[in-house]
Amino acid sequence: MQSESVMAALSVLTVNMLLSLFFPAAVSADLADCGTTKPLLHITAPGRMEALSGSCLQIPCTYDSTDTSYDSNKPIYGVWRKGFWNKNTIFHSDGSVKIYPLNITGDLKKKNCTTLFLDLNTTYSDKYFFRIESKKFKASACADSVQITVKDSAWSPSINISGDVKDLKEKESVSISCSAWTPCPLSPPELTWSLQQDSQRQTETNPDGTFTSKIQENMTLSDTHDGSNITCSVRYPVDGGKRNKTAETNLTLSVSYAPKDTSASISPSGLVSAGSWVELSCSSRAKPPVRTFTWFRNCTGGPVNVSEGHVYNFSVTEGGKFYCVAVNNLGNQTSSVISLKVKNKNLIWMGILA
Ligand SMILES: *[C@@H]1O[C@H](CO)[C@@H](O)[C@H](O)[C@H]1NC(C)=O
Ligand SMILES: *[C@@H]1O[C@H](CO)[C@@H](O)[C@H](O)[C@H]1NC(C)=O
Ligand SMILES: *[C@@H]1O[C@H](CO)[C@@H](O)[C@H](O)[C@H]1NC(C)=O
Ligand SMILES: *[C@@H]1O[C@H](CO)[C@@H](O)[C@H](O)[C@H]1NC(C)=O
Ligand SMILES: *[C@@H]1O[C@H](CO)[C@@H](O)[C@H](O)[C@H]1NC(C)=O
Ligand SMILES: *[C@@H]1O[C@H](CO)[C@@H](O)[C@H](O)[C@H]1NC(C)=O
Ligand SMILES: *[C@@H]1O[C@H](CO)[C@@H](O)[C@H](O)[C@H]1NC(C)=O
Ligand SMILES: *[C@@H]1O[C@H](CO)[C@@H](O)[C@H](O)[C@H]1NC(C)=O
Ligand SMILES: *[C@@H]1O[C@H](CO)[C@@H](O)[C@H](O)[C@H]1NC(C)=O
Ligand SMILES: *[C@@H]1O[C@H](CO)[C@@H](O)[C@H](O)[C@H]1NC(C)=O
Ligand SMILES: *[C@@H]1O[C@H](CO)[C@@H](O)[C@H](O)[C@H]1NC(C)=O
Ligand SMILES: *[C@@H]1O[C@H](CO)[C@@H](O)[C@H](O)[C@H]1NC(C)=O
């Protein structure tokens, strides 16, 4: 039943929309960079990526060539250029150029140009272009640049709740997760939060080949969660673990619930003279607030609705048992019972029954 309601909750709020930045819908071929050159090579890689200075960045990459002179049996080299597609080579996999500490970890013969930048700093922020060089075939993916932005501070994690975060209700089973962009899968960030520390942790691969670290917990909401804060903190190790970069995100939960702690009180209490006015009042805690309070009198034929509103004023002349019911759109709750007993002709005792 728990998983059913989680599955049924299709709409999801991403508290922090930052991560959407890392998952562009598609790599847009930007022919403008090519000028008059027709691109003979295409790569599939994220068009924009963010990295953290002092940490690494893995660029998922595959390439594709339609040129007939391409021969995967010949030695194939991969080249990365910075800023422009036709100059500023920063890496050549034949070993001749290694200006930046990076490595093509993908198997170029399998058209895998996955690349690992081992240690970035903010001066690396730029557009990067991939190029293939073999004996006959040399081509640059001039239309498919990878824009790398190197930041000095950590990204705030995203807290994600299954279901409509603006309309959470008690008894609802939700799955709460906190996720963080993971540019460097070799030293992923550590997530901690104010919920259970033994939550399920994992690193997920996104459809575009990038990674997201995540902690997740399922819980059944109750009125005690209303107004509570979830704090999720992330810690990225940088400079080979010598330092940490941290960030955090808070989310205050708003959970609606049926009336709780409904109680009836009397004024005055104890002995009162017959014919005097007494006041019964009903109180309750509910979200949204109680829509109606209804007073019932317990009669032999069953309860009778005697008044509406949180206060019931009447002139007491006889005994009886009264209680109130608090109602909001999520349910109702019945109060304790107030008992009026005739002591003698002129005195009536008023008290609350357990
Ligand atoms: C939470 O529920 C989902 C599906 O309902 C399940 O796949 C997942 O394993 C659960 N996670 C935990 C930590 O129980
Ligand atoms: C690049 O990768 C190769 C093999 O995968 C490895 O031997 C080499 O040490 C790596 N270079 C760096 C700078 O990590
Ligand atoms: C490309 O190579 C990387 C290793 O660097 C690997 O993790 C990835 O799965 C490969 N991608 C494909 C599409 O084979
Ligand atoms: C950034 O890296 C480049 C090349 O590796 C290096 O020359 C430069 O000093 C570094 N800058 C900072 C601020 O670390
Ligand atoms: C939030 O959860 C939904 C559904 O589980 C998922 O599609 C989405 O990618 C998640 N967002 C983040 C930032 O994890
Ligand atoms: C939750 O956080 C908000 C601000 O972030 C604060 O005003 C509120 O007092 C906090 N509530 C609890 C229960 O800590
Ligand atoms: C980084 O954070 C971890 C875990 O909180 C801690 O053990 C370590 O000492 C921190 N490192 C530095 C250099 O602050
Ligand atoms: C999150 O909440 C904590 C305490 O509840 C507060 O100290 C911290 O400043 C908040 N962080 C943000 C980013 O709002
Ligand atoms: C109210 O009356 C019903 C029958 O009409 C009885 O079952 C119930 O116990 C009564 N409640 C109290 C508190 O007297
Ligand atoms: C109680 O009586 C009032 C006035 O007659 C009526 O408006 C209300 O709908 C009744 N409530 C219930 C719960 O029967
Ligand atoms: C109930 O009666 C008292 C007087 O006994 C009066 O002060 C009070 O305003 C009345 N309350 C309501 C809601 O009528
Ligand atoms: C209170 O809720 C129950 C179901 O939980 C319902 O049967 C009953 O009619 C409700 N009573 C009132 C006064 O709304």
Side-chain angles (χ1 to χ4, degrees):
M1 197 190 101
Q2 191 159 335
S3 72
E4 246 173 39
S5 46
V6 171
M7 301 294 274
L10 288 170
S11 69
V12 165
L13 172 116
T14 298
V15 171
N16 186 325
M17 299 305 287
L18 192 74
L19 284 195
S20 61
L21 189 76
F22 306 120
F23 311 131
V27 177
S28 57
D30 188 0
L31 288 166
D33 285 320
C34 297
T36 54
T37 304
K38 187 169 171 284
L40 294 175
L41 183 69
H42 285 286
I43 63 166
T44 302
R48 307 174 66 82
M49 295 189 85
E50 288 200 1
L52 193 59
S53 63
S55 183
C56 82
L57 171 67
Q58 179 165 310
I59 306 170
C61 175
T62 56
Y63 70 90
D64 197 19
S65 176
T66 47
D67 192 277
T68 49
S69 63
Y70 174 84
D71 181 356
S72 67
N73 293 316
K74 293 277 179 328
I76 298 166
Y77 298 106
V79 175
W80 281 99
R81 287 174 171 172
K82 182 176 187 259
F84 306 94
W85 66 268
N86 60 352
K87 55 180 177 186
N88 296 345
T89 297
I90 51 137
F91 179 83
H92 199 304
S93 69
D94 70 2
S96 62
V97 186
K98 206 165 173 69
I99 292 172
Y100 280 3
L102 62 88
N103 224 346
I104 296 175
T105 53
D107 184 350
L108 288 172
K109 285 199 191 288
K110 291 184 179 150
K111 304 206 166 185
N112 185 339
C113 46
T114 297
T115 295
L116 185 65
F117 268 88
L118 290 155
D119 182 19
L120 295 99
N121 70 39
T122 50
T123 65
Y124 287 27
S125 292
D126 212 331
K127 255 185 184 180
Y128 289 82
F129 292 88
F130 183 68
R131 175 174 171 84
I132 281 292
E133 288 189 1
S134 66
K135 201 163 173 29
K136 277 188 186 163
F137 180 74
K138 290 184 168 60
S140 290
C142 61
D144 309 318
S145 64
V146 178
Q147 175 77 53
I148 297 177
T149 305
V150 183
K151 300 195 357 159
D152 258 334
S153 52
W155 303 270
S156 298
S158 299
I159 300 175
N160 211 346
I161 299 193
S162 64
D164 185 353
V165 77
K166 292 205 171 64
D167 190 24
L168 297 173
K169 297 182 177 74
E170 65 175 342
K171 295 178 188 155
E172 199 178 322
S173 289
V174 294
S175 171
I176 303 186
S177 68
C178 179
S179 41
W181 166 237
T182 304
C184 181
L186 300 180
S187 54
E190 184 187 287
L191 287 162
T192 47
W193 64 2
S194 52
L195 300 177
Q196 280 174 35
Q197 289 309 318
D198 58 350
S199 309
Q200 191 177 308
R201 287 154 202 281
Q202 65 212 49
T203 299
E204 289 182 345
T205 309
N206 301 312
D208 67 357
T210 59
F211 298 92
T212 299
S213 299
K214 193 169 170 183
I215 45 177
Q216 190 173 351
E217 186 180 316
N218 296 335
M219 63 184 202
T220 302
L221 297 174
S222 76
D223 60 304
T224 58
H225 294 115
D226 182 51
S228 70
N229 290 331
I230 299 173
T231 300
C232 181
S233 309
V234 69
R235 179 182 68 81
Y236 290 87
V238 296
D239 297 342
K242 287 203 281 287
R243 288 196 304 138
N244 292 318
K245 287 186 178 171
T246 61
E248 65 177 14
T249 298
N250 290 333
L251 173 68
T252 302
L253 291 181
S254 172
V255 178
S256 44
Y257 50 90
K260 307 276 176 251
D261 307 332
T262 303
S263 67
S265 60
I266 44 176
S267 175
S269 63
L271 288 173
V272 297
S273 48
S276 61
W277 284 82
V278 297
E279 187 178 302
L280 309 188
S281 74
C282 189
S283 70
S284 184
R285 187 167 62 77
K287 186 168 179 167
V290 170
R291 189 178 60 217
T292 51
F293 288 103
T294 307
W295 286 95
F296 291 92
R297 178 173 186 181
N298 218 6
C299 300
T300 43
V304 171
N305 168 356
V306 291
S307 174
E308 279 228 319
H310 89 110
V311 174
Y312 173 34
N313 263 2
F314 65 101
S315 166
V316 60
T317 54
E318 55 178 355
K321 284 175 178 166
F322 297 85
Y323 61 87
C324 66
V325 176
V327 181
N328 73 357
N329 61 350
L330 274 95
N332 65 64
Q333 195 182 38
T334 300
S335 73
S336 46
V337 174
I338 286 177
S339 182
L340 311 185
K341 284 183 191 140
V342 180
K343 278 282 171 194
N344 60 45
K345 223 170 77 175
N346 294 314
L347 285 178
I348 292 169
W349 179 85
M350 317 213 312
I352 296 174
L353 293 185

